[in-house]
Amino acid sequence: MPLPLPVLPEGVDPAWLPPAAFRAVGGRRTLIRDSGPLAETVHGEVAEACRRFGGRVVRGAVADGTYDLVLDLGDEGLGEEGLGEEGLGEEGFTCAREGGTTAVTASGGRGLLYGLFHVVRLGEAAFTGAWARQTHRPALALRMLDHWDNVAVHPVMGQVERGYAGGSLFWEDGRARGDLERVRAYGRLLAACGVNAVAVNNVNVHETEAHLLTDRIGEVAAIADALRPYGVRTHLSVSFAAPVVLGGLPTADPLDEAVRGWWATATRRVYEAIPDFGGYVVKADSEGQPGPFAYGRTHADGANTLAAVLEPYGGTVHWRAFVYDHRQDWRDRTTDRARAAYDHFVPLDGEFAPNAVLQVKHGPMDFQVREPVSPLIGAMPRTRLAVELQVTQEYTGQQRHVCWLGPMWSEVLRFRHEPESSVGERARGGLVAVSNAGDDPFWTGHPLAQANLYTFGRLAWRPDAEPREVLDEWIGLTFPEASERLPDGLHAVLDGSWRTYEKYTAPLGVGWMVQPGHHYGPSVDGYEYSPWGTYHFADRDGVGVDRSVASGTGYAGQYAKPWAGLYESPDTCPDELLLFFHHVPYGHPLKSGKTVIQHIYDTHFEGVEEVEEAREVWASLAGLADPARHARVAERYEEQLRSAREWRDQINSYFFRKSGVPDERGRRIH
């Protein structure tokens, strides 16, 4: 029987899966040959499309006529090695068109589901002409979203830490939601862009979340049941101190036999409730979270203890590398937060178990609008690494500003520490991101922030994809019946939005300069004298952090050649990262020919002007987009423009007062 599609609550946006996106599939004769566990999902998708658009779907092993579309699970299935036809694995598929038939063939149910969504993306082009067989398989086996969702509303962080799209999709009033139909719809959206795993609770595990591992595992199982029909595996964030907090043991020492036994028993019960459970996510010895340092153990000791109990079930532990001193003395310029992950983890290369994945933020600090790629990603060849991005826009406008992050992520994933491999190729443990979705009617607060969620999934599937082509996919699916003016307008407001945001916020890679705590809006010295290690060191003579080997913290030396040499000197350091690596005078000339201070003035004026232009472009699209969607975006643009002007005025006036250098163009500096 076909699995019925999820029913969205009234008023909830269908995002990139509106019914009209299935018109090309729904108006045709389709044969499904699949007896796998996801057969009902694939059948349900096609059956609903046919019901709407007049086609016909048949399911069986033998064709009884000519079909426009054939969705076929290969006769051999996955086979003994789990690779199946043409080495496609569980998730790959082939697609070809010959003799008037479009044929999708896969070795596993997930592959067939992804193949169907590929045909949906192609639309009418999937049924036009003839084309040779194409093979599609994900470059990365794990493509995961971490939800920083609190089961109970936290007094400081609310229900979703760094969440800008309402409450949690999973939790309500301290329990799992009773109606998980929207969670099933979320799983459908994720499958359509290639995401195959979700962690359902906050990495900062509070007391309520801790109990999800034991006496409340049934609630996690209910969520897993809702996500499973779309091939999405469920993961759980756990506390390193769980044996003490939940088990009553006197220690959480990872080498203690009683501790290991407790984890083994707890994990066995998890898999009894959720047989396809993905594994654990752990934040340890970080920002006050407990960890192995308390017992004189290493992070490899901690990770391997959990890896050992997960290994019999095929599970994975994702161990976050976000470990640094958050009680730093701002006067001590030898301590550098950017160095910390490398210093802690590189000596442990080769000591982590095969099913332990070290999860590394893409930059060395904390998801700033501009950072260098973390040197740790290129320095641990014997360790499985997952690269972590942040789809929720904590430091990039908090989904109140348009800031499409596809170009940033593409730069990261294409970066090569050494010529042999890119970041995307080194991420053998997968690509992970902090989700930006919540129970908001548009899923992401700002409707255009849906593009970030979709882009993450597609880049996780293929890290070398051109981000603009991915954006075309999102536009084509989300607005399947739009005139040409709407796609052109969307590109006009999205393509350069990351660089626009960078222009009116923190300059030249220096980062931060945000309001403490909530991180929204400008406060140039907000973190300057704090213990968090987030400094710009602006004074009367210059600005920036000296991270050179010759005279600074030595961070630049963590990179391989040629990057170490490139970053070491302000003469060769890329302009966009200059203040991240060097403290320079305000009159220091950039490669653009401008001085640092004039660059600061000019870009902050330009950023505001670009927001004004984007707001006008969006206003001109009224009548071409859904009225509710258009109104929400228009309202957000008003706030973005107000905030951009505030950033411009505060940053420019601060640096005018520090430097005493006037704007050479004579503009008013507030």
Side-chain angles (χ1 to χ4, degrees):
M1 293 291 294
L3 183 71
L5 267 60
V7 178
L8 287 173
E10 185 177 354
V12 173
D13 185 63
W16 52 86
L17 290 181
F22 290 78
R23 184 181 299 278
V25 170
R28 289 176 162 83
R29 284 169 49 85
T30 299
L31 172 66
I32 300 175
R33 293 175 178 162
D34 181 7
S35 58
L38 294 179
E40 288 76 15
T41 302
V42 174
H43 191 185
E45 291 287 338
V46 179
E48 176 61 21
C50 290
R51 185 189 69 80
R52 286 181 177 272
F53 302 111
R56 180 187 173 206
V57 58
V58 174
R59 188 168 167 193
V62 180
D64 61 353
T66 301
Y67 292 88
D68 303 300
L69 175 62
V70 175
L71 300 164
D72 188 5
L73 190 68
D75 293 337
E76 298 180 4
L78 284 175
E80 292 184 3
E81 296 182 3
L83 294 176
E85 188 168 311
E86 300 186 14
L88 295 174
E90 167 66 20
E91 297 188 316
F93 61 91
T94 64
C95 190
R97 181 165 175 80
E98 184 178 359
T101 298
T102 301
V104 173
T105 304
S107 299
R110 283 189 180 89
L112 205 64
L113 182 62
Y114 295 142
L116 170 62
F117 284 127
H118 176 71
V119 172
V120 171
R121 283 193 295 272
L122 292 176
E124 286 295 333
F127 304 98
T128 303
W131 27 275
R133 176 177 296 191
Q134 306 165 354
T135 299
H136 301 266
R137 60 173 69 86
L140 304 176
L142 184 128
R143 307 170 303 278
M144 183 162 76
L145 286 166
D146 283 352
H147 277 257
W148 289 356
D149 293 16
N150 300 315
V151 175
V153 176
H154 190 272
V156 176
M157 292 299 180
Q159 179 158 32
V160 183
E161 183 173 334
R162 310 305 178 191
Y164 311 107
S168 172
L169 289 168
F170 309 118
W171 314 102
E172 185 177 39
D173 298 329
R175 312 293 302 185
R177 287 181 178 270
D179 181 1
L180 292 172
E181 192 73 353
R182 190 166 176 188
V183 172
R184 196 160 69 92
Y186 183 53
R188 180 173 181 249
L189 288 172
L190 299 186
C193 67
V195 172
N196 65 358
V198 167
V200 298
N201 65 309
N202 198 346
V203 294
N204 292 312
V205 181
H206 307 296
E207 183 177 357
T208 305
E209 285 80 45
H211 284 271
L212 296 176
L213 176 63
T214 52
D215 51 300
R216 299 184 64 176
I217 193 62
E219 295 177 59
V220 182
I223 294 169
D225 289 344
L227 293 169
R228 188 176 297 111
Y230 285 94
V232 179
R233 294 179 75 181
T234 299
H235 295 239
L236 190 66
S237 294
V238 297
S239 171
F240 178 84
V244 175
V245 175
L246 301 175
L249 296 182
T251 180
D253 183 347
L255 301 189
D256 185 279
E257 288 302 320
V259 169
R260 292 183 172 192
W262 185 90
W263 277 111
T265 299
T267 301
R268 174 176 55 80
R269 290 172 177 164
V270 168
Y271 278 93
E272 288 171 355
I274 313 170
D276 61 348
F277 180 72
Y280 299 138
V281 179
V282 183
K283 178 179 179 179
D285 288 317
S286 175
E287 299 182 330
Q289 292 291 312
F293 286 170
Y295 305 98
R297 310 303 186 189
T298 70
H299 280 274
D301 294 330
N304 290 345
T305 291
L306 296 186
V309 299
L310 288 163
E311 191 274 334
Y313 309 98
T316 300
V317 57
H318 281 250
W319 194 272
R320 298 180 83 236
F322 188 51
V323 178
Y324 68 96
D325 177 10
H326 72 289
R327 294 185 175 89
Q328 186 175 327
D329 184 344
W330 63 269
R331 296 163 296 186
D332 177 9
R333 298 203 179 188
T334 64
T335 302
D336 185 1
R337 173 171 167 173
R339 290 188 55 107
Y342 186 104
D343 288 342
H344 281 303
F345 288 99
V346 167
L348 302 177
D349 187 30
E351 296 184 16
F352 289 88
N355 65 320
V357 171
L358 191 61
Q359 190 163 305
V360 183
K361 291 191 178 188
H362 71 82
M365 295 294 280
D366 193 10
F367 303 128
Q368 298 302 292
V369 69
R370 178 75 70 170
E371 294 186 48
V373 177
S374 170
L376 184 61
I377 299 170
M380 299 188 70
R382 297 181 294 159
T383 302
R384 285 180 68 198
L385 299 183
V387 175
E388 184 178 83
L389 310 176
Q390 192 183 50
V391 183
T392 195
Q393 297 167 225
E394 179 180 355
Y395 296 102
T396 53
Q398 300 191 357
Q399 287 148 239
R400 285 176 262 189
H401 298 219
V402 177
C403 188
W404 177 52
L405 296 169
M408 173 204 278
W409 298 334
S410 181
E411 284 188 14
V412 170
L413 295 170
R414 292 167 186 255
F415 182 86
R416 294 178 178 271
H417 291 86
E418 296 173 325
E420 292 77 18
S421 59
S422 66
V423 168
E425 292 165 335
R426 284 184 178 270
R428 294 181 292 117
L431 198 65
V432 181
V434 185
S435 174
N436 67 344
D439 66 2
D440 171 75
F442 289 101
W443 299 92
T444 56
H446 199 307
L448 300 188
Q450 291 177 8
N452 281 331
L453 185 54
Y454 182 87
T455 300
F456 164 75
R458 299 298 289 144
L459 289 179
W461 180 279
R462 193 182 137 206
D464 63 348
E466 289 293 336
R468 199 173 190 277
E469 293 177 4
V470 173
L471 187 58
D472 280 332
E473 287 182 7
W474 175 76
I475 292 171
L477 288 170
T478 308
F479 307 94
E481 299 176 310
S483 68
E484 285 189 14
R485 274 190 60 210
L486 183 58
D488 289 346
L490 286 164
H491 274 292
V493 301
L494 287 168
D495 285 357
S497 56
W498 166 48
R499 288 177 176 83
T500 293
Y501 186 86
E502 181 180 25
K503 283 183 176 182
Y504 63 77
T505 52
L508 301 172
V510 75
W512 304 96
M513 298 186 174
V514 292
Q515 291 282 345
H518 56 74
H519 299 164
Y520 185 77
S523 178
V524 186
D525 284 339
Y527 279 105
E528 191 61 14
Y529 309 103
S530 77
W532 292 96
T534 52
Y535 314 123
H536 55 71
F537 294 135
D539 55 30
R540 67 180 185 179
D541 299 316
V543 59
V545 183
D546 185 354
R547 292 188 163 104
S548 69
V549 174
S551 57
T553 69
Y555 168 78
Q558 292 183 341
Y559 289 87
K561 295 179 180 179
W563 300 106
L566 194 75
Y567 294 146
E568 175 69 15
S569 169
D571 296 328
T572 56
C573 184
D575 281 352
E576 64 269 20
L577 292 172
L578 178 66
L579 301 186
F580 190 94
F581 283 99
H582 298 282
H583 187 89
V584 298
Y586 294 108
H588 177 86
L590 301 175
K591 296 173 183 61
S592 65
K594 295 182 181 181
T595 63
V596 166
I597 190 64
Q598 194 58 42
H599 171 91
I600 291 173
Y601 294 153
D602 287 350
T603 53
H604 284 79
F605 280 108
E606 290 167 8
V608 172
E609 291 165 3
E610 289 172 12
V611 175
E612 291 173 336
E613 292 168 4
R615 182 185 63 162
E616 294 307 310
V617 170
W618 184 256
S620 75
L621 302 177
L624 301 180
D626 172 75
R629 187 195 307 264
H630 190 275
R632 173 71 71 88
V633 174
E635 171 262 320
R636 296 284 162 122
Y637 261 123
E638 294 302 318
E639 167 55 21
Q640 181 174 358
L641 182 56
R642 182 209 64 77
S643 182
R645 288 168 174 164
E646 182 183 26
W647 274 97
R648 175 198 63 194
D649 295 345
Q650 288 205 24
I651 299 293
N652 282 351
S653 60
Y654 178 94
F655 283 105
F656 172 61
R657 289 169 182 153
K658 282 283 185 181
S659 69
V661 178
D663 173 29
E664 65 182 26
R665 296 173 61 183
R667 292 165 294 196
R668 180 180 179 186
I669 302 292
H670 290 274

